[in-house]
Amino acid sequence: MSEPATTPRPTLGEIEERLTGGETPLLLRREVVAGLVVLFLLVVAVYWATSEYFGISYTIEAEPFRDWVDGFGILGPVVFIGIMALSVLFAPVPNAPIFMAAGLAWGPVLGTLYCMAGLVLGSAVAFWVARRFGRRHLARLVGRRNAERIDTLVLEMGGRVVFWSRMIPAVNFDWISFVAGMTAIPFRVFILYSALGMVFPTAVAVVAGDGLGRDVRITLGAGGVWLAVIVISAAVYWRRRANGRRDNGAAT
């Protein structure tokens, strides 16, 4: 008696294709990546020339802002964490400016902790909203096209997809929390991989914000790291797409 055929597990590249709907995300397109590299090098050159030869300082006076935030006491971090959580629930609200504001207000350590608290909270709520209410209200939160992709991911969600969707700074996959909630992935697995994947990009952005109030070279360095991850992510993405097309061509 022959064993029933099993559906082959999709590769990460195939899942990426479904996550993006077959379209290359804006920040992973070749012309955009090249433009970002040129722009970053131009910013570094302008900063070096103007600070070296004209003595211009780009450091922001952060103390008034920090004093204002400290004036709220414990309420300040609580409100911030709530705003951070809402940015996950109501995607695609951009997170980068919020991260940088946290760095400017509380520094790299507390800023990262508060951001992570809000991100984990928002991801957990999004997960349970999807698990509790299902697909009925999902399109309102993540958009119709993103909601349609859920059908192809329900049986394929795993920790690695969650991790890499958080890790790549070029693509905002906040809505992956809603997708995960509609799959069989255990909550503990989802929240663990989410947190692990969000630590690095969050810390980089927070450090960049902190650098604005200390030394802009720190911000430029963090920007360089962010850009390097985008370039590496794009290179891997392009290679996978090329390999996938070549394999498809050979199969036909």
Side-chain angles (χ1 to χ4, degrees):
M1 182 176 180
S2 60
E3 295 182 359
T6 58
T7 302
R9 185 178 179 85
T11 65
L12 185 57
E14 291 171 338
I15 295 177
E16 285 176 348
E17 284 285 316
R18 298 181 188 186
L19 279 170
T20 59
E23 301 177 359
T24 302
L26 179 63
L27 288 182
L28 294 182
R29 295 176 185 173
R30 296 177 187 273
E31 63 275 14
V32 175
V33 172
L36 287 174
V37 172
V38 172
L39 179 61
F40 178 74
L41 294 176
L42 181 61
V43 168
V44 171
V46 170
Y47 167 79
W48 177 81
T50 54
S51 60
E52 184 74 18
Y53 293 102
F54 298 99
I56 298 176
S57 175
Y58 294 92
T59 303
I60 296 175
E61 181 57 49
E63 287 306 318
F65 178 63
R66 290 170 180 162
D67 291 341
W68 178 74
V69 171
D70 289 341
F72 290 95
I74 190 62
L75 186 62
V78 170
V79 171
F80 175 83
I81 291 171
I83 293 173
M84 192 78 260
L86 289 175
S87 76
V88 177
L89 287 170
F90 297 97
V93 176
N95 293 333
I98 306 177
F99 294 155
M100 296 185 73
L104 193 62
W106 293 293
V109 177
L110 284 179
T112 300
L113 287 175
Y114 293 153
C115 286
M116 285 299 300
L119 289 171
V120 170
L121 175 61
S123 298
V125 173
F127 180 94
W128 285 111
V129 165
R131 182 148 292 185
R132 172 65 177 81
F133 296 103
R135 191 180 175 114
R136 284 185 302 163
H137 307 290
L138 197 58
R140 298 179 185 176
L141 295 173
V142 303
R144 182 180 57 81
R145 292 185 63 189
N146 290 335
E148 289 172 353
R149 296 173 194 162
I150 291 175
D151 290 334
T152 62
L153 290 170
V154 166
L155 299 178
E156 300 165 2
M157 177 63 62
R160 61 177 184 161
V161 180
V162 174
F163 177 84
W164 287 111
S165 68
R166 302 301 197 194
M167 186 69 177
I168 301 175
V171 185
N172 185 343
F173 281 149
D174 277 345
W175 52 270
I176 204 73
S177 301
F178 294 101
V179 177
M182 298 188 67
T183 72
I185 186 172
F187 174 73
R188 63 182 181 278
V189 174
F190 162 76
I191 209 67
L192 173 63
Y193 280 94
S194 283
L196 291 175
M198 290 186 292
V199 168
F200 176 75
T202 299
V204 169
V206 172
V207 168
D210 178 61
L212 292 175
R214 298 179 185 274
D215 188 336
V216 176
R217 288 175 294 183
I218 297 175
T219 303
L220 292 175
V225 171
W226 181 81
L227 181 60
V229 174
I230 288 182
V231 172
I232 294 171
S233 301
V236 172
Y237 181 84
W238 298 336
R239 183 176 181 179
R240 282 182 178 149
R241 293 203 72 172
N243 290 341
R245 289 169 179 170
R246 185 168 58 250
D247 293 343
N248 290 337
T252 56

